[in-house]
Amino acid sequence: MIRGVTVERLGEDALLLRTAVPDDRATLEVVHALAERLADDRPAWLEDIVPAYATLALFVDPGAHVDGDPLEVAERWLAARLEDGLAQPPVATADSARRIVDIPVRYGGEDGPDLDMVAHHCGLSPADVVARHAAGVYIVAMLGFAPGFPYLVGLDPALAMPRRANPRTCVAAGSVGIGGGQTGIYPAAGPGGWQLIGRTDVALFDPARSPPSLLRAGDRLRFVAVRSGMGGTG
Amino acid sequence: MSLEVLGPGLLTTVQDAGRPGWRHAGVGVAGALDGWSLAVANRLVGNAPDAAALEITLAGPTLRLRRAATIALCGATLDADADGVPRPVTLPAGATLRLGGCRDGARTLLAVAGGLAVDAVLGSASTDLRGGFGGQQGRALLRGDVLPLRDDAPPAVTDRVRIAPWWVDPTPDLDLAREAVLRVLRGSDATAPADALSAQPWRVDAASDRQGLRLEGAALAIADRRERVSEPVAPGTVQLPPGGAPIVLLGDAQTHGGYPRIAHVIRADRPRLAQLRPGDAVRFVRCDAATAHALNDAQRVRLARMALAIAARRQRDAASTGWRIG
């Protein structure tokens, strides 16, 4: 057993591996490394491997085993893997070995209608907000909430700002926002309560593409400021 | 070879057994919320149990058939100008199928022999309403939509409505006449007092959709109010937001949630869960994993038996009448 990793059940659907310290970069490293190592010899009944901040869900095909509880089969498999190949704590993949995805962003103006308000709230100039936001190297902790939506870790604490009191009914696709201590990108148009500081033309999710999501958990992400009217990626 | 939408109904979507395997990309499973009725409706018309069908919510659509086709309606009973009981009905080309309000449940599954010709997206024809893909352009049906039917279905030749002289009994797996008592497994985040969920009856709030059912009742106290980080959730998960009114997640559940998970509705009871209407009463009782697994197995066996019985009936119909259903 890996020290500090416990196994729970998520109803009848999945096993939930939980690491000890929530919301910590080191914990994320363990979650991502575990996800990758379990995917290496993934059995057919393992339907999905879903990382979160401090947990990793292993979803099991409920129809895979007709003569036994599929979760018991999964528990036995996992126990053997944890005792055997995973006996040692996973070694975090070095940042330099991780894929870095650059997201060009047009900050401010119509693309980022809340930039001035964020600057005022944080006691910074809009240019400082952009510089600090674009200086970070973020970890894609997981994709969730909506198809292709990245939960990013690594926002400069000076940029934290509460969500809007009244969420917008429609946020444009590609909008980059700040909600509390988090930052993220809305892959598709829809309602949203984050403070919008910019927008990208990069398609984060396209179901016709393979793979459909541009990002995957464990990726590193940088925002690159581009001037309005320069066409984003172009 | 198609179905023309003359009126869309309240929320009619193309759904099959769902889209598992893409949660890591933030894509929920979607799929017919009442998987039992999807399977039975499909079997009645000779389809694979997980073929794409229409999921009707509370008020049905009006559809025109451009060719003769055999259909079946399962789940909530609705007023239909063709018979609405769970048996195959063959309609002639040009027939208009007017489906009214669901009377005893929230959702009716309409299967068409041969299935709807809907391209699979990420392995499924199901509509992902939040992602805006799958099914009919990623949205609910609209007036004027034309849904193609698969051409490999043997065309039913008939000039009048033909109703099979037999039907199937959807109970005990789906019994809409009884009050809903849903069995739940313990949640891993036991923030509310154990059994608090089952200690009182709940009422389904009107602000419920395919993502989740909101429950009304005496608010549950959250013992441990520490801020939580988002964790994986699944259809059936019962969440407890700070207000103390539980939310039961359904097929369009988001992949991750930050609220405490206090329980999980077992798989075998999800068809009944899917049929809850705004204002309905619902109770929860605790269950263990072994019982949940046994109930799930028993449901699967009953579905397999029902499929055999239906196949035998369909063969007999074909032999005795000289016409073929489906």
Side-chain angles (χ1 to χ4, degrees):
Chain A
M1 239 359 176
I2 299 176
R3 209 155 17 108
V5 174
T6 57
V7 181
E8 304 161 13
R9 285 181 170 205
L10 180 66
E12 291 162 275
D13 296 279
L15 297 181
L16 209 55
L17 282 70
R18 181 181 300 279
T19 56
V21 198
D23 214 359
D24 176 67
R25 276 182 101 108
T27 301
L28 266 182
E29 296 292 352
V30 172
V31 168
H32 293 153
L34 266 175
E36 285 154 20
R37 286 165 66 175
L38 290 172
D40 280 346
D41 66 345
R42 176 178 172 166
W45 49 259
L46 184 48
E47 204 167 63
D48 214 342
I49 301 175
V50 186
Y53 284 118
T55 48
L56 178 68
L58 306 181
F59 280 86
V60 171
D61 177 356
H65 307 283
V66 286
D67 50 354
D69 184 345
L71 279 187
E72 278 173 17
V73 175
E75 278 162 349
R76 281 197 297 275
W77 176 80
L78 183 64
R81 298 282 289 124
L82 290 177
E83 280 163 19
D84 181 20
L86 292 180
Q88 297 304 312
V91 179
T93 307
D95 265 26
S96 57
R98 289 285 182 182
R99 195 170 67 138
I100 297 185
V101 180
D102 285 336
I103 303 290
V105 179
R106 297 182 303 274
Y107 285 98
E110 283 178 20
D111 294 308
D114 300 331
L115 177 63
D116 291 346
M117 218 157 50
V118 172
H120 184 256
H121 176 86
C122 300
L124 298 167
S125 71
D128 284 341
V129 171
V130 171
R132 282 172 180 261
H133 192 260
V137 177
Y138 300 86
I139 302 178
V140 178
M142 58 176 148
L143 301 163
F145 170 67
F149 181 94
Y151 285 79
L152 300 175
V153 167
L155 180 69
D156 185 331
L159 300 182
M161 179 174 178
R163 293 166 174 78
R164 293 171 63 84
N166 296 304
R168 287 184 169 87
T169 52
C170 192
V171 169
S175 291
V176 175
I178 288 175
Q182 300 184 85
T183 186
I185 313 164
Y186 289 94
W194 287 18
Q195 312 285 352
L196 306 182
I197 60 170
R199 196 174 163 197
T200 181
D201 290 331
V202 171
L204 288 164
F205 187 84
D206 177 358
R209 194 169 59 190
S210 181
S213 175
L214 173 71
L215 302 168
R216 53 181 187 241
D219 281 347
R220 300 300 187 260
L221 183 147
R222 287 183 305 206
F223 293 108
V224 181
V226 294
R227 271 186 293 155
S228 290
M230 290 188 64
T233 52
Chain B
M1 296 304 164
S2 52
L3 280 179
E4 194 182 337
V5 180
L6 303 182
L10 193 60
L11 180 82
T12 306
T13 56
V14 175
Q15 301 292 347
D16 60 13
R19 187 177 284 113
W22 293 98
R23 291 175 173 94
H24 64 277
V27 180
V29 285
L33 301 186
D34 176 355
W36 170 260
S37 296
L38 172 75
V40 175
N42 272 320
R43 288 297 192 194
L44 284 170
V45 298
N47 291 348
D50 55 355
L54 291 180
E55 182 187 88
I56 292 160
T57 314
L58 294 172
T62 300
L63 306 166
R64 183 186 292 143
L65 280 73
R66 292 195 176 166
R67 69 150 157 87
T70 302
I71 64 156
L73 294 162
C74 289
T77 311
L78 43 66
D79 299 308
D81 65 359
D83 198 343
V85 299
R87 56 176 135 189
V89 174
T90 299
L91 300 170
T96 299
L97 180 62
R98 286 188 185 81
L99 301 172
C102 296
R103 288 203 296 257
D104 50 2
R107 294 176 173 93
T108 304
L109 274 300
L110 166 63
V112 184
L116 302 170
V118 177
D119 290 336
V121 179
L122 305 178
S124 165
S126 287
T127 310
D128 185 313
L129 290 171
R130 182 146 7 98
F133 61 87
Q136 176 71 4
Q137 298 169 26
R139 56 163 173 77
L141 298 192
L142 294 175
R143 182 198 311 270
D145 280 346
V146 175
L147 299 172
L149 302 176
R150 291 220 183 276
D151 280 330
D152 54 8
V157 179
T158 181
D159 54 3
R160 61 181 178 85
V161 175
R162 289 172 183 270
I163 300 171
W166 48 271
W167 61 91
V168 295
D169 178 3
T171 61
D173 296 283
L174 188 62
D175 185 355
L176 297 176
R178 67 165 169 88
E179 186 200 4
V181 179
L182 303 176
R183 288 160 287 199
V184 292
L185 298 167
R186 196 186 170 82
S188 54
D189 191 342
T191 176
D195 291 324
L197 187 67
S198 30
Q200 61 166 313
W202 297 90
R203 196 160 289 281
V204 177
D205 191 283
S208 298
D209 55 17
R210 277 184 48 90
Q211 188 178 2
L213 288 179
R214 290 167 187 276
L215 303 180
E216 291 175 319
L220 297 184
I222 299 181
D224 170 8
R225 289 189 170 271
R226 80 194 138 87
E227 192 68 12
R228 287 162 169 81
V229 296
S230 289
E231 295 188 354
V233 293
T237 297
V238 183
Q239 294 183 315
L240 187 61
I247 297 174
V248 190
L249 297 179
L250 301 180
D252 277 1
Q254 68 281 20
T255 55
H256 297 74
Y259 297 137
R261 296 181 307 267
I262 57 169
H264 299 271
V265 176
I266 66 168
R267 276 182 183 278
D269 284 347
R270 286 189 210 161
R272 186 69 185 87
L273 171 67
Q275 293 295 350
L276 289 171
R277 301 161 58 93
D280 276 359
V282 56
R283 289 192 298 121
F284 297 92
V285 294
R286 278 278 290 280
C287 164
D288 60 34
T291 309
H293 178 62
L295 289 165
N296 203 30
D297 262 4
Q299 192 171 78
R300 197 154 40 191
V301 168
R302 278 193 295 275
L303 186 62
R305 283 205 191 114
M306 193 182 276
L308 288 174
I310 289 170
R313 281 290 192 178
R314 285 169 48 83
Q315 264 186 348
R316 208 180 312 166
D317 284 351
S320 66
T321 62
W323 61 275
R324 196 182 149 81
I325 292 177

mmCIF file of all heavy atoms in Angstrom, chain A residues 60-92:
data_model
loop_
_atom_site.group_PDB
_atom_site.id
_atom_site.type_symbol
_atom_site.label_atom_id
_atom_site.label_comp_id
_atom_site.label_asym_id
_atom_site.label_seq_id
_atom_site.Cartn_x
_atom_site.Cartn_y
_atom_site.Cartn_z
ATOM 1 N N VAL A 60 -15.770 1.533 -13.207
ATOM 2 C CA VAL A 60 -15.769 0.125 -13.604
ATOM 3 C C VAL A 60 -16.984 -0.155 -14.475
ATOM 4 O O VAL A 60 -18.085 0.321 -14.185
ATOM 5 C CB VAL A 60 -15.783 -0.739 -12.322
ATOM 6 C CG1 VAL A 60 -15.992 -2.189 -12.647
ATOM 7 C CG2 VAL A 60 -14.478 -0.550 -11.549
ATOM 8 N N ASP A 61 -16.794 -0.910 -15.545
ATOM 9 C CA ASP A 61 -17.907 -1.301 -16.410
ATOM 10 C C ASP A 61 -18.827 -2.234 -15.619
ATOM 11 O O ASP A 61 -18.430 -3.328 -15.246
ATOM 12 C CB ASP A 61 -17.339 -2.014 -17.646
ATOM 13 C CG ASP A 61 -18.438 -2.529 -18.575
ATOM 14 O OD1 ASP A 61 -19.635 -2.404 -18.227
ATOM 15 O OD2 ASP A 61 -18.085 -3.048 -19.649
ATOM 16 N N PRO A 62 -20.072 -1.809 -15.351
ATOM 17 C CA PRO A 62 -20.934 -2.613 -14.479
ATOM 18 C C PRO A 62 -21.332 -3.945 -15.103
ATOM 19 O O PRO A 62 -21.736 -4.865 -14.388
ATOM 20 C CB PRO A 62 -22.164 -1.715 -14.277
ATOM 21 C CG PRO A 62 -22.167 -0.789 -15.445
ATOM 22 C CD PRO A 62 -20.732 -0.595 -15.836
ATOM 23 N N GLY A 63 -21.206 -4.083 -16.407
ATOM 24 C CA GLY A 63 -21.623 -5.324 -17.063
ATOM 25 C C GLY A 63 -20.466 -6.264 -17.359
ATOM 26 O O GLY A 63 -20.631 -7.286 -18.012
ATOM 27 N N ALA A 64 -19.282 -5.937 -16.865
ATOM 28 C CA ALA A 64 -18.096 -6.706 -17.264
ATOM 29 C C ALA A 64 -18.026 -8.079 -16.606
ATOM 30 O O ALA A 64 -17.494 -9.016 -17.174
ATOM 31 C CB ALA A 64 -16.838 -5.910 -16.945
ATOM 32 N N HIS A 65 -18.555 -8.189 -15.391
ATOM 33 C CA HIS A 65 -18.458 -9.463 -14.675
ATOM 34 C C HIS A 65 -19.857 -9.925 -14.313
ATOM 35 O O HIS A 65 -20.534 -9.281 -13.520
ATOM 36 C CB HIS A 65 -17.625 -9.311 -13.404
ATOM 37 C CG HIS A 65 -16.294 -8.695 -13.668
ATOM 38 N ND1 HIS A 65 -15.247 -9.395 -14.211
ATOM 39 C CD2 HIS A 65 -15.844 -7.437 -13.483
ATOM 40 C CE1 HIS A 65 -14.205 -8.597 -14.348
ATOM 41 N NE2 HIS A 65 -14.550 -7.399 -13.911
ATOM 42 N N VAL A 66 -20.292 -11.034 -14.884
ATOM 43 C CA VAL A 66 -21.657 -11.474 -14.608
ATOM 44 C C VAL A 66 -21.753 -12.259 -13.306
ATOM 45 O O VAL A 66 -22.804 -12.344 -12.707
ATOM 46 C CB VAL A 66 -22.227 -12.333 -15.771
ATOM 47 C CG1 VAL A 66 -22.562 -11.431 -16.942
ATOM 48 C CG2 VAL A 66 -21.276 -13.426 -16.161
ATOM 49 N N ASP A 67 -20.650 -12.832 -12.867
ATOM 50 C CA ASP A 67 -20.725 -13.679 -11.667
ATOM 51 C C ASP A 67 -19.882 -13.114 -10.536
ATOM 52 O O ASP A 67 -18.995 -13.766 -10.020
ATOM 53 C CB ASP A 67 -20.310 -15.113 -11.997
ATOM 54 C CG ASP A 67 -18.992 -15.145 -12.741
ATOM 55 O OD1 ASP A 67 -18.489 -14.057 -13.080
ATOM 56 O OD2 ASP A 67 -18.477 -16.238 -12.996
ATOM 57 N N GLY A 68 -20.138 -11.911 -10.163
ATOM 58 C CA GLY A 68 -19.430 -11.315 -9.036
ATOM 59 C C GLY A 68 -19.576 -9.815 -9.085
ATOM 60 O O GLY A 68 -19.942 -9.255 -10.103
ATOM 61 N N ASP A 69 -19.313 -9.180 -7.948
ATOM 62 C CA ASP A 69 -19.410 -7.738 -7.856
ATOM 63 C C ASP A 69 -18.220 -7.118 -8.604
ATOM 64 O O ASP A 69 -17.067 -7.356 -8.234
ATOM 65 C CB ASP A 69 -19.391 -7.354 -6.364
ATOM 66 C CG ASP A 69 -19.576 -5.867 -6.156
ATOM 67 O OD1 ASP A 69 -19.427 -5.111 -7.132
ATOM 68 O OD2 ASP A 69 -19.864 -5.465 -5.018
ATOM 69 N N PRO A 70 -18.481 -6.336 -9.641
ATOM 70 C CA PRO A 70 -17.380 -5.749 -10.423
ATOM 71 C C PRO A 70 -16.436 -4.906 -9.558
ATOM 72 O O PRO A 70 -15.236 -4.860 -9.822
ATOM 73 C CB PRO A 70 -18.093 -4.862 -11.449
ATOM 74 C CG PRO A 70 -19.494 -5.360 -11.517
ATOM 75 C CD PRO A 70 -19.803 -5.955 -10.178
ATOM 76 N N LEU A 71 -16.968 -4.274 -8.520
ATOM 77 C CA LEU A 71 -16.092 -3.456 -7.679
ATOM 78 C C LEU A 71 -15.165 -4.320 -6.830
ATOM 79 O O LEU A 71 -14.054 -3.908 -6.507
ATOM 80 C CB LEU A 71 -16.916 -2.526 -6.777
ATOM 81 C CG LEU A 71 -17.437 -1.238 -7.424
ATOM 82 C CD1 LEU A 71 -18.073 -0.340 -6.371
ATOM 83 C CD2 LEU A 71 -16.350 -0.486 -8.176
ATOM 84 N N GLU A 72 -15.633 -5.537 -6.479
ATOM 85 C CA GLU A 72 -14.743 -6.430 -5.735
ATOM 86 C C GLU A 72 -13.585 -6.873 -6.619
ATOM 87 O O GLU A 72 -12.436 -6.967 -6.173
ATOM 88 C CB GLU A 72 -15.514 -7.643 -5.211
ATOM 89 C CG GLU A 72 -16.255 -7.342 -3.920
ATOM 90 C CD GLU A 72 -17.156 -8.491 -3.484
ATOM 91 O OE1 GLU A 72 -16.966 -9.630 -3.981
ATOM 92 O OE2 GLU A 72 -18.055 -8.233 -2.659
ATOM 93 N N VAL A 73 -13.889 -7.163 -7.871
ATOM 94 C CA VAL A 73 -12.835 -7.517 -8.830
ATOM 95 C C VAL A 73 -11.841 -6.358 -8.928
ATOM 96 O O VAL A 73 -10.621 -6.558 -8.903
ATOM 97 C CB VAL A 73 -13.448 -7.821 -10.218
ATOM 98 C CG1 VAL A 73 -12.352 -8.070 -11.252
ATOM 99 C CG2 VAL A 73 -14.386 -9.020 -10.139
ATOM 100 N N ALA A 74 -12.377 -5.147 -9.002
ATOM 101 C CA ALA A 74 -11.517 -3.967 -9.119
ATOM 102 C C ALA A 74 -10.670 -3.779 -7.867
ATOM 103 O O ALA A 74 -9.486 -3.440 -7.948
ATOM 104 C CB ALA A 74 -12.374 -2.728 -9.365
ATOM 105 N N GLU A 75 -11.279 -4.032 -6.703
ATOM 106 C CA GLU A 75 -10.531 -3.884 -5.451
ATOM 107 C C GLU A 75 -9.367 -4.874 -5.383
ATOM 108 O O GLU A 75 -8.269 -4.520 -4.958
ATOM 109 C CB GLU A 75 -11.475 -4.073 -4.249
ATOM 110 C CG GLU A 75 -12.260 -2.811 -3.923
ATOM 111 C CD GLU A 75 -13.498 -3.044 -3.057
ATOM 112 O OE1 GLU A 75 -13.886 -4.222 -2.867
ATOM 113 O OE2 GLU A 75 -14.080 -2.070 -2.593
ATOM 114 N N ARG A 76 -9.639 -6.122 -5.820
ATOM 115 C CA ARG A 76 -8.566 -7.129 -5.809
ATOM 116 C C ARG A 76 -7.440 -6.731 -6.759
ATOM 117 O O ARG A 76 -6.261 -6.829 -6.437
ATOM 118 C CB ARG A 76 -9.130 -8.503 -6.185
ATOM 119 C CG ARG A 76 -9.850 -9.198 -5.039
ATOM 120 C CD ARG A 76 -10.022 -10.688 -5.320
ATOM 121 N NE ARG A 76 -10.849 -10.961 -6.492
ATOM 122 C CZ ARG A 76 -12.186 -11.014 -6.451
ATOM 123 N NH1 ARG A 76 -12.824 -10.849 -5.315
ATOM 124 N NH2 ARG A 76 -12.884 -11.254 -7.537
ATOM 125 N N TRP A 77 -7.824 -6.287 -7.944
ATOM 126 C CA TRP A 77 -6.825 -5.864 -8.939
ATOM 127 C C TRP A 77 -5.979 -4.714 -8.400
ATOM 128 O O TRP A 77 -4.759 -4.722 -8.484
ATOM 129 C CB TRP A 77 -7.547 -5.445 -10.225
ATOM 130 C CG TRP A 77 -6.652 -4.890 -11.289
ATOM 131 C CD1 TRP A 77 -5.879 -5.609 -12.156
ATOM 132 C CD2 TRP A 77 -6.425 -3.510 -11.606
ATOM 133 N NE1 TRP A 77 -5.190 -4.766 -12.993
ATOM 134 C CE2 TRP A 77 -5.506 -3.471 -12.676
ATOM 135 C CE3 TRP A 77 -6.918 -2.307 -11.095
ATOM 136 C CZ2 TRP A 77 -5.069 -2.273 -13.246
ATOM 137 C CZ3 TRP A 77 -6.482 -1.113 -11.659
ATOM 138 C CH2 TRP A 77 -5.565 -1.102 -12.719
ATOM 139 N N LEU A 78 -6.670 -3.748 -7.812
ATOM 140 C CA LEU A 78 -5.976 -2.565 -7.304
ATOM 141 C C LEU A 78 -5.047 -2.928 -6.144
ATOM 142 O O LEU A 78 -3.908 -2.458 -6.072
ATOM 143 C CB LEU A 78 -7.000 -1.513 -6.864
ATOM 144 C CG LEU A 78 -6.417 -0.193 -6.388
ATOM 145 C CD1 LEU A 78 -5.676 0.502 -7.540
ATOM 146 C CD2 LEU A 78 -7.511 0.720 -5.852
ATOM 147 N N ALA A 79 -5.540 -3.802 -5.255
ATOM 148 C CA ALA A 79 -4.718 -4.204 -4.113
ATOM 149 C C ALA A 79 -3.431 -4.861 -4.608
ATOM 150 O O ALA A 79 -2.335 -4.570 -4.100
ATOM 151 C CB ALA A 79 -5.503 -5.155 -3.204
ATOM 152 N N ALA A 80 -3.560 -5.709 -5.604
ATOM 153 C CA ALA A 80 -2.373 -6.378 -6.140
ATOM 154 C C ALA A 80 -1.430 -5.361 -6.772
ATOM 155 O O ALA A 80 -0.208 -5.430 -6.615
ATOM 156 C CB ALA A 80 -2.797 -7.431 -7.172
ATOM 157 N N ARG A 81 -1.988 -4.388 -7.474
ATOM 158 C CA ARG A 81 -1.152 -3.370 -8.112
ATOM 159 C C ARG A 81 -0.464 -2.506 -7.057
ATOM 160 O O ARG A 81 0.698 -2.132 -7.219
ATOM 161 C CB ARG A 81 -2.015 -2.481 -9.030
ATOM 162 C CG ARG A 81 -2.675 -3.196 -10.165
ATOM 163 C CD ARG A 81 -1.698 -3.475 -11.302
ATOM 164 N NE ARG A 81 -1.331 -2.262 -12.000
ATOM 165 C CZ ARG A 81 -0.081 -1.853 -12.156
ATOM 166 N NH1 ARG A 81 0.898 -2.564 -11.647
ATOM 167 N NH2 ARG A 81 0.187 -0.753 -12.807
ATOM 168 N N LEU A 82 -1.186 -2.166 -6.001
ATOM 169 C CA LEU A 82 -0.600 -1.298 -4.978
ATOM 170 C C LEU A 82 0.500 -2.034 -4.218
ATOM 171 O O LEU A 82 1.496 -1.446 -3.817
ATOM 172 C CB LEU A 82 -1.677 -0.803 -4.007
ATOM 173 C CG LEU A 82 -2.687 0.201 -4.584
ATOM 174 C CD1 LEU A 82 -3.749 0.559 -3.560
ATOM 175 C CD2 LEU A 82 -2.001 1.467 -5.082
ATOM 176 N N GLU A 83 0.319 -3.355 -4.006
ATOM 177 C CA GLU A 83 1.339 -4.122 -3.284
ATOM 178 C C GLU A 83 2.542 -4.403 -4.164
ATOM 179 O O GLU A 83 3.657 -4.504 -3.703
ATOM 180 C CB GLU A 83 0.761 -5.462 -2.817
ATOM 181 C CG GLU A 83 -0.072 -5.346 -1.564
ATOM 182 C CD GLU A 83 -0.951 -6.564 -1.367
ATOM 183 O OE1 GLU A 83 -0.658 -7.622 -1.981
ATOM 184 O OE2 GLU A 83 -1.936 -6.453 -0.621
ATOM 185 N N ASP A 84 2.285 -4.534 -5.432
ATOM 186 C CA ASP A 84 3.313 -4.974 -6.359
ATOM 187 C C ASP A 84 4.008 -3.788 -7.036
ATOM 188 O O ASP A 84 4.880 -3.149 -6.478
ATOM 189 C CB ASP A 84 2.650 -5.905 -7.388
ATOM 190 C CG ASP A 84 3.631 -6.455 -8.388
ATOM 191 O OD1 ASP A 84 4.837 -6.448 -8.084
ATOM 192 O OD2 ASP A 84 3.193 -6.881 -9.471
ATOM 193 N N GLY A 85 3.557 -3.467 -8.195
ATOM 194 C CA GLY A 85 4.240 -2.453 -9.002
ATOM 195 C C GLY A 85 4.176 -1.059 -8.420
ATOM 196 O O GLY A 85 5.030 -0.220 -8.694
ATOM 197 N N LEU A 86 3.143 -0.811 -7.641
ATOM 198 C CA LEU A 86 2.979 0.535 -7.124
ATOM 199 C C LEU A 86 3.428 0.650 -5.671
ATOM 200 O O LEU A 86 3.048 1.578 -4.976
ATOM 201 C CB LEU A 86 1.514 0.967 -7.238
ATOM 202 C CG LEU A 86 0.974 1.185 -8.652
ATOM 203 C CD1 LEU A 86 -0.474 1.601 -8.591
ATOM 204 C CD2 LEU A 86 1.786 2.220 -9.394
ATOM 205 N N ALA A 87 4.250 -0.340 -5.227
ATOM 206 C CA ALA A 87 4.616 -0.367 -3.817
ATOM 207 C C ALA A 87 5.326 0.912 -3.387
ATOM 208 O O ALA A 87 5.146 1.399 -2.286
ATOM 209 C CB ALA A 87 5.499 -1.571 -3.532
ATOM 210 N N GLN A 88 6.112 1.448 -4.273
ATOM 211 C CA GLN A 88 6.817 2.677 -3.939
ATOM 212 C C GLN A 88 5.935 3.873 -4.290
ATOM 213 O O GLN A 88 5.204 3.831 -5.264
ATOM 214 C CB GLN A 88 8.121 2.758 -4.730
ATOM 215 C CG GLN A 88 9.091 1.640 -4.375
ATOM 216 C CD GLN A 88 9.407 1.583 -2.882
ATOM 217 O OE1 GLN A 88 9.716 2.603 -2.283
ATOM 218 N NE2 GLN A 88 9.303 0.398 -2.292
ATOM 219 N N PRO A 89 6.043 4.924 -3.488
ATOM 220 C CA PRO A 89 5.288 6.121 -3.856
ATOM 221 C C PRO A 89 5.669 6.542 -5.273
ATOM 222 O O PRO A 89 6.845 6.462 -5.649
ATOM 223 C CB PRO A 89 5.759 7.157 -2.838
ATOM 224 C CG PRO A 89 6.288 6.373 -1.692
ATOM 225 C CD PRO A 89 6.818 5.082 -2.264
ATOM 226 N N PRO A 90 4.698 6.955 -6.063
ATOM 227 C CA PRO A 90 5.016 7.339 -7.437
ATOM 228 C C PRO A 90 5.995 8.509 -7.451
ATOM 229 O O PRO A 90 5.872 9.430 -6.648
ATOM 230 C CB PRO A 90 3.663 7.771 -8.018
ATOM 231 C CG PRO A 90 2.648 7.505 -6.981
ATOM 232 C CD PRO A 90 3.310 7.137 -5.713
ATOM 233 N N VAL A 91 6.960 8.410 -8.304
ATOM 234 C CA VAL A 91 7.904 9.509 -8.454
ATOM 235 C C VAL A 91 7.258 10.540 -9.353
ATOM 236 O O VAL A 91 6.794 10.226 -10.441
ATOM 237 C CB VAL A 91 9.222 9.009 -9.085
ATOM 238 C CG1 VAL A 91 10.188 10.167 -9.268
ATOM 239 C CG2 VAL A 91 9.828 7.913 -8.218
ATOM 240 N N ALA A 92 7.205 11.761 -8.865
ATOM 241 C CA ALA A 92 6.577 12.805 -9.658
ATOM 242 C C ALA A 92 7.355 13.007 -10.952
ATOM 243 O O ALA A 92 8.585 12.988 -10.957
ATOM 244 C CB ALA A 92 6.530 14.099 -8.864
#
